């Protein structure tokens, strides 16, 4: 009960950050809601109900977080491969989902910036408005709020290009299970049915398009059939005890194994001392 209550407080704090950053540093709330967040018609003046629904919903909604550098191999737009299916998942009448995106592309990375543009455009469309948000001006404060407040940390790079993926480690320390491709650190850290979920198969692909299609299908199926039912299964006191077990497992299986202490120790024992000895 204490862990779940603490997580809800952190999630409320995250939503305040999202409202501030997603509504926009460059617009008033009214302009942002009318021009970008509702996004159906720029000339339309939103009603109070639309204003309420235009921003990400409160802490009772299953929230996925995706925040990192927008390199193309990280496939930020993979979830949008099947628009109709994603809208159905996000707007399920009993088990709704919202996804928060944030991050920056290198100034010279035009394809990465195009991914950001696409996500912003998606967030304005009917069916995505109020379920998808792009949090502007990504920095350490936004990152902190996200890894502390989301329910699930999403990472779907094109395998085998992920170097590590340390944001998922930080999310796990805060009790957010990972939902990730079996690449980078998650290939070592993932324990099936214990501390998170895997996207796709642990195999090599020759066809990138086929890989994207298979990973997208795995994303949809796992989110629909495993993650959302577990999150919304509540006891009489409103606590999702099976979900909280996953949160605890994420902390206790990741915290002792993935840390700066381990990094420094392994660099020292495996590289620096052998090099100095030689």
């Amino acid at each position: 009960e204490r862990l779940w209550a603490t997580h809800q407080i952190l999630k409320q704090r995250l939503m305040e950050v999202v409202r501030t950053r997603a509504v926009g540093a460059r617009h008033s709330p009214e302009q942002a809601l009318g021009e970008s967040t509702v996004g159906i018609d720029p000339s339309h003046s939103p009603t109070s109900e639309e204003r309420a629904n235009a921003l990400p919903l409160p802490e009772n909604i299953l929230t996925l977080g995706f925040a990192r550098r927008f390199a193309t191999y990280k496939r930020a737009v993979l979830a949008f491969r099947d628009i109709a299916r994603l809208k159905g998942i996000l707007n399920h009448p009993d088990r709704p989902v919202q996804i928060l995106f944030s991050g920056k592309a290198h100034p010279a990375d035009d394809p990465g910036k195009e991914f950001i543009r696409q996500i912003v455009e998606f967030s304005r469309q009917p069916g995505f408005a109020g379920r998808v948000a792009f949090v502007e001006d990504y920095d350490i404060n936004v990152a902190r709020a996200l890894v502390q407040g989301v329910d699930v940390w999403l990472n779907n790079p094109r395998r085998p290009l992920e170097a590590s993926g340390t944001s998922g480690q930080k999310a796990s320390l805060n009790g957010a299970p990972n939902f990730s491709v079996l690449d980078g650190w998650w290939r070592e850290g993932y324990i099936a049915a214990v501390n998170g979920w895997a996207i796709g198969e642990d195999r090599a692909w020759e066809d990138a398009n086929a890989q994207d299609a298979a990973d997208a299908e795995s994303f949809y199926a796992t989110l629909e059939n495993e993650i959302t039912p577990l999150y919304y299964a509540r006891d009489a006191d409103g606590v999702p005890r099976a979900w909280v077990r996953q949160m605890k497992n994420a902390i206790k299986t990741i915290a002792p194994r993935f840390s700066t202490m381990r990094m420094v120790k392994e660099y020292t024992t495996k590289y620096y001392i052998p090099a100095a000895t030689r």
Side-chain angles (χ1 to χ4, degrees):
E1 293 88 348
R2 290 174 60 194
L3 178 59
W4 181 245
T6 300
H7 176 64
Q8 295 303 91
I9 292 171
L10 292 171
K11 198 170 180 182
Q12 289 175 344
R13 292 179 183 174
L14 166 63
M15 292 307 164
E16 290 304 313
V17 171
V18 172
R19 289 186 177 96
T20 300
R21 298 287 184 116
V23 166
R26 295 186 297 274
H27 305 283
S28 69
E30 292 77 13
Q31 286 176 315
L33 286 170
E35 294 176 4
S36 61
T37 314
V38 174
I40 298 173
D41 178 1
S43 65
H44 170 65
S45 178
T47 65
S48 59
E49 182 179 1
E50 286 171 336
R51 287 193 177 92
N53 292 333
L55 294 173
L57 298 176
E59 65 278 359
N60 61 320
I61 301 298
L62 173 63
T63 303
L64 278 60
F66 181 103
R68 54 184 50 84
R69 183 169 57 92
F70 266 66
T72 51
Y73 82 86
K74 295 178 182 289
R75 300 188 299 181
V77 296
L78 182 70
F80 298 93
R81 189 176 177 92
D82 186 334
I83 297 295
R85 188 166 183 186
L86 180 60
K87 286 184 178 181
I89 294 172
L90 299 184
N91 295 283
H92 190 284
D94 301 315
R95 301 193 296 265
V97 179
Q98 59 188 1
I99 310 178
L100 305 180
F101 291 90
S102 193
K104 294 180 178 179
H106 187 279
D109 184 2
D110 289 336
K113 289 186 281 188
E114 172 63 17
F115 277 6
I116 294 176
R117 188 197 65 79
Q118 289 179 28
I119 290 173
V120 171
E121 288 299 318
F122 281 129
S123 73
R124 299 171 177 176
Q125 295 180 10
F128 288 139
R131 290 289 186 268
V132 173
F134 187 85
V135 185
E136 296 182 302
D137 298 326
Y138 182 64
D139 59 16
I140 194 169
N141 295 309
V142 172
R144 180 185 296 112
L146 284 163
V147 297
Q148 290 179 349
V150 299
D151 299 305
V152 176
W153 195 253
L154 177 62
N155 188 30
N156 43 240
R158 181 174 286 114
R159 193 178 175 277
L161 300 178
E162 184 67 279
S164 179
T166 53
S167 62
Q169 298 169 17
K170 290 178 281 190
S172 291
L173 296 179
N174 286 278
N178 271 256
F179 183 26
S180 178
V181 168
L182 292 169
D183 196 15
W185 80 278
W186 189 232
R187 191 166 186 262
E188 176 189 345
Y190 172 60
I191 305 173
V194 173
N195 63 355
W197 301 270
I199 297 174
E201 302 175 57
D202 187 7
R203 54 161 288 190
W205 290 87
E206 295 183 1
D207 185 333
N209 187 61
Q211 181 181 11
D212 291 353
D215 287 351
E217 172 58 33
S218 174
F219 168 81
Y220 299 133
T222 305
L223 186 56
E224 283 181 308
N225 301 326
E226 298 181 35
I227 298 177
T228 55
L230 188 69
Y231 180 82
Y232 285 105
R234 307 295 172 92
D235 284 2
D237 57 4
V239 178
R241 296 186 180 275
W243 184 270
V244 173
R245 190 176 305 118
Q246 284 266 16
M247 294 175 64
K248 291 181 178 180
N249 288 341
I251 296 169
K252 73 181 184 180
T253 61
I254 302 305
R257 298 173 60 199
F258 298 91
S259 65
T260 304
M261 181 181 294
R262 171 184 168 183
M263 177 186 71
V264 173
K265 179 180 179 180
E266 290 192 358
Y267 270 121
T268 302
T269 59
K270 294 184 177 183
Y271 295 98
Y272 299 149
I273 291 177
T277 302
R278 289 198 302 272

